[in-house]
Amino acid sequence: RRKKTQMLFFLPSSSRPRRRRLALGAAVLGGVAAQVAVAQARQPYVTEVMRDYCLCRSKETEAVGLGDVFLPKSCEVDAARLEAVAAATPPQLTVVVMAYLPALAWRLEKLLCGYARAYAVIRRVVVLWNGPRTEPPNATCAVDWRTHRLGRRASALLESGRAYRHRRVELEVIVEERNTLLNRYRHADRVPTDVVLLQDDDVVHSPAALRAFAFFPLALPNQILGTPPERDYTLATTESPGGGGDAAGALEGKSTSTREEGSAPHDQHAYAYVHHPRGGAYSFLLGQTSVLRTSYLDDFLTNAPRRSLKFIVTHKPTCEDLTLHFHVANATGLPPAVFHDLRPRMIAGPRGAQMHSSGSKKIWNKRRERCLDRLVDDFHHVMPLVKSTCRLTGNISIFDPIYRSAYSGAAARIRAGAASSSGRGVDDDLTTVPMARVRRRRRKKEQSSSAEDLAQQQDDDDDDTNAAFGEQQASPVV
């Protein structure tokens, strides 16, 4: 401090505050640059994450079940193929969220207006309203409301403070006639994208999570993607109900119990619900976040056991998230994939509004155990859930050329569509930069062109003069 004071003493009084501000600004910029460098060093590329997940799954089983972006019989990602697929179909998704309490409309307001900023990733948000038909939800960031028919309203989400009308996310509110969780899967015709995000109304995902949800289904098209917390099951033996069982058989999804499956009494369960999986293995995720192919929605309602679907309509808790995981694992033989570093932000509300608030965690786990036993009986006395210890990294580097080109292509398509709908040409793109910046660029271009014309005219005059005088030069004076 004494050295700084001595240095500032010899400076003019008017320049001391400015030097202080410059020094402070340099220190702040240096700290930000260091943080960016550290974050960039920690964040892997998309191809690296996909390759690591493939190698991990290859150690567990031969049936990895990955997409076409990998080289044949290899875990190496075909970068050209991945970039071509991402450019042909820009990675976007549709968010389907369900709500039913008018007193928690503020929670839905935060969710919708928060997703209005993700217009490059989210194409449409479908709100399924299971509450009173006379009190449908609304949002302050929703504009241009229009009604297609009774019970269905359409609008657009616009980020507050934005003057660019094309930067919007489609919004559709469907008022349901019956309050059931099966409504979440009944509107596949209202999903315009290949990937759908099913989520609760009390969670909000970050932009990094939304980008990962939209991009990684290109490599994992047949699996359910989600966020922590993970869940697992173990085999409950007759000697120790709720115990572990054989670890090797449990990892393969096979029963190692000595009694017949489905024959457990009411006070004992064939399968124990593991609230926090130990050892890294998990077999299903919670229903607060489920990223899957849109075709799975109709497939779930068509091919899932009728008994399981009827239970969802007539009972609470429904365990519909468990039923979805049972169905997808039974159809594909693949486990879900979790992003270990992506956790949603919870929108806190009254505890009475939470599904599992009617009792303790122990009572809730017992209910889930009954669901496990019932679903095993519905799926022909076979446990279809597949265990896995492999996890994905969602915070990938934005400096990856494949990752960057995919979303720049999506943004370019959005701008081109907005320009064509507004009557402007793509060359006169006034939607990506402010008007003042456009005017400055045009003025600079005009000034540079006028300077070039003046220089060219002066060169032409010099050529004419040289030609007229025969390019005679004066002799030097001695």
Side-chain angles (χ1 to χ4, degrees), residues 53-91:
Y53 183 81
C54 177
L55 292 175
C56 180
R57 286 287 297 145
S58 300
K59 296 178 181 179
E60 295 179 346
T61 179
E62 296 180 357
V64 180
L66 300 178
D68 299 334
V69 297
F70 291 88
L71 296 177
K73 299 181 181 180
S74 174
C75 285
E76 294 297 329
V77 180
D78 189 353
R81 171 67 177 168
L82 180 60
E83 189 171 0
V85 171
T89 58

Side-chain angles (χ1 to χ4, degrees), residues 391-462:
R391 287 167 170 81
L392 292 168
T393 301
N395 287 314
I396 51 182
S397 176
I398 61 176
F399 300 98
D400 190 350
I402 298 177
Y403 186 83
R404 183 174 52 196
S405 62
Y407 287 103
S408 62
R413 291 189 177 215
I414 294 174
R415 291 195 300 267
S420 60
S421 62
S422 60
R424 302 193 190 102
V426 181
D427 296 334
D428 288 334
D429 190 5
L430 305 182
T431 61
T432 57
V433 292
M435 288 296 300
R437 192 182 303 175
V438 173
R439 294 192 187 97
R440 287 197 300 268
R441 290 180 179 177
R442 288 182 176 177
R443 193 181 303 113
K444 187 180 295 184
K445 186 176 181 180
E446 292 175 356
Q447 292 176 357
S448 61
S449 61
S450 60
E452 291 177 359
D453 295 341
L454 182 60
Q456 183 65 29
Q457 184 178 359
Q458 186 174 1
D459 293 341
D460 294 341
D461 295 342
D462 294 340

